Amino acid sequence: MDEFYPPVAFYFKLSIEGASGDASFKEVSGISMEMDTEEIAEGGNSYKHRVPTSVKFSNLVLKRGLVPKDSEVVQWCLDTFGSGLSSGIQPKTITVSLLDEEANPLNTWSFSNAWPVKWSVSDLNSMNNEIVIETLEFAYSYFEKVS
């Protein structure tokens, strides 16, 4: 009998369209969606009807140690922020795969039309012995689970 063990969250693969070898991140968060609702009051009742309106996606957040070399991903972010929207945003597809112990994908999510909305570096503090963390945050149109 095959027993199912929940997968571990630390073994994943990330790829960003057009960025070769530049997708090693220590943390991925924001793989979530929720249904917005609207309340409608009905006369003569003491309750309100809640009806669905649209699906809302959170931003995809990627964290890694600061990359000291030229990074295609960071350059994409800086080009997007530095253009002042004069040259338009270049959306890309970001793919996240959760892997099993043999590096086979268990689950894969594809984030369509992703574009950077935030780039930050952790605080620099001479009193702490910590790695400098780079955080990249992306908005996207939608995500879907890929078979």
Side-chain angles (χ1 to χ4, degrees), residues 3-10 98-101 106-107:
E3 290 189 43
F4 173 76
Y5 293 100
V8 294
F10 65 81
L98 181 63
L99 306 175
D100 67 11
E101 63 277 356
L106 292 169
N107 284 307

Side-chain angles (χ1 to χ4, degrees), residues 98-123:
L98 181 63
L99 306 175
D100 67 11
E101 63 277 356
E102 296 171 0
N104 297 313
L106 292 169
N107 284 307
T108 299
W109 300 272
S110 180
F111 299 83
S112 298
N113 299 318
W115 47 278
V117 294
K118 185 176 180 180
W119 173 79
S120 65
V121 174
S122 62
D123 295 340

Side-chain angles (χ1 to χ4, degrees), residues 77-91:
C77 293
L78 297 177
D79 288 347
T80 300
F81 299 138
S83 72
L85 300 179
S86 62
S87 63
I89 293 174
Q90 301 299 317

Side-chain angles (χ1 to χ4, degrees), residues 27-104:
E27 184 178 327
V28 176
S29 62
I31 303 175
S32 68
M33 64 175 96
E34 65 181 83
M35 181 70 70
D36 278 339
T37 60
E38 180 180 333
E39 292 186 349
I40 301 172
E42 182 180 350
N45 293 323
S46 60
Y47 61 89
K48 296 179 180 181
H49 296 279
R50 292 180 58 175
V51 296
T53 57
S54 63
V55 176
K56 180 171 62 173
F57 300 97
S58 62
N59 286 342
L60 184 66
V61 180
L62 311 177
K63 294 183 180 184
R64 67 181 176 184
L66 182 65
V67 177
K69 64 177 182 68
D70 292 337
S71 164
E72 295 173 56
V73 176
V74 171
Q75 193 58 52
W76 171 43
C77 293
L78 297 177
D79 288 347
T80 300
F81 299 138
S83 72
L85 300 179
S86 62
S87 63
I89 293 174
Q90 301 299 317
K92 299 180 184 276
T93 299
I94 298 175
T95 305
V96 177
S97 295
L98 181 63
L99 306 175
D100 67 11
E101 63 277 356
E102 296 171 0
N104 297 313

